[in-house]
Amino acid sequence: MTAETEPTTQSTGSCCSPTGSCHDGAADAQAEPTESVTTVYEVKGMTCGHCEGAVSEEISALGGVTAVEAVAATGRVTVSSKAPLAEDAVRAAVDEAGYELVGRAA
């Protein structure tokens, strides 16, 4: 084998550390799980996919929101966020989309 084709124990850009492990722990520090708050709201007036999209878009714009799932058939909107959201803020977002926030789902 020539020097060009000999295997090396460490290559730049590799995911393996010099010790041969798949990682050196640095990625673990960056990927620590964060706590998430999930709240289900009841929204009046959603009838179709467009409605779901409009509500989701407005709520997604609120600070700290990480995910929104609106389901017109049930009138439920599930919101995941980094911290609890002020209900007034959610109400304003739903109003901006053209629908009515009934409140938190029971």
Side-chain angles (χ1 to χ4, degrees), residues 20-66:
S21 69
C22 289
H23 59 80
D24 63 4
D28 292 341
Q30 296 172 2
E32 287 183 27
T34 58
E35 294 295 321
S36 181
V37 176
T38 301
T39 309
V40 180
Y41 298 96
E42 188 175 338
V43 174
K44 189 188 269 188
M46 293 189 302
T47 59
C48 65
H50 173 76
C51 301
E52 294 169 347
V55 170
S56 294
E57 182 178 344
E58 291 296 333
I59 294 175
S60 292
L62 296 175
V65 171
T66 57

Side-chain angles (χ1 to χ4, degrees), residues 13 18-19 40 45 56 72 76 82 96 100 102-103 106:
T19 62
V40 180
S56 294
R76 301 280 171 107
K82 296 177 183 177
E96 183 66 28
E100 179 185 346
V102 176

Side-chain angles (χ1 to χ4, degrees), residues 81-101:
S81 56
K82 296 177 183 177
L85 299 173
E87 192 164 317
D88 288 344
V90 176
R91 184 174 308 284
V94 171
D95 286 348
E96 183 66 28
Y99 304 92
E100 179 185 346
L101 178 68

Side-chain angles (χ1 to χ4, degrees), residues 9-11 13-24:
T9 57
Q10 181 181 13
S11 65
S14 171
C15 66
C16 295
S17 71
T19 62
S21 69
C22 289
H23 59 80
D24 63 4

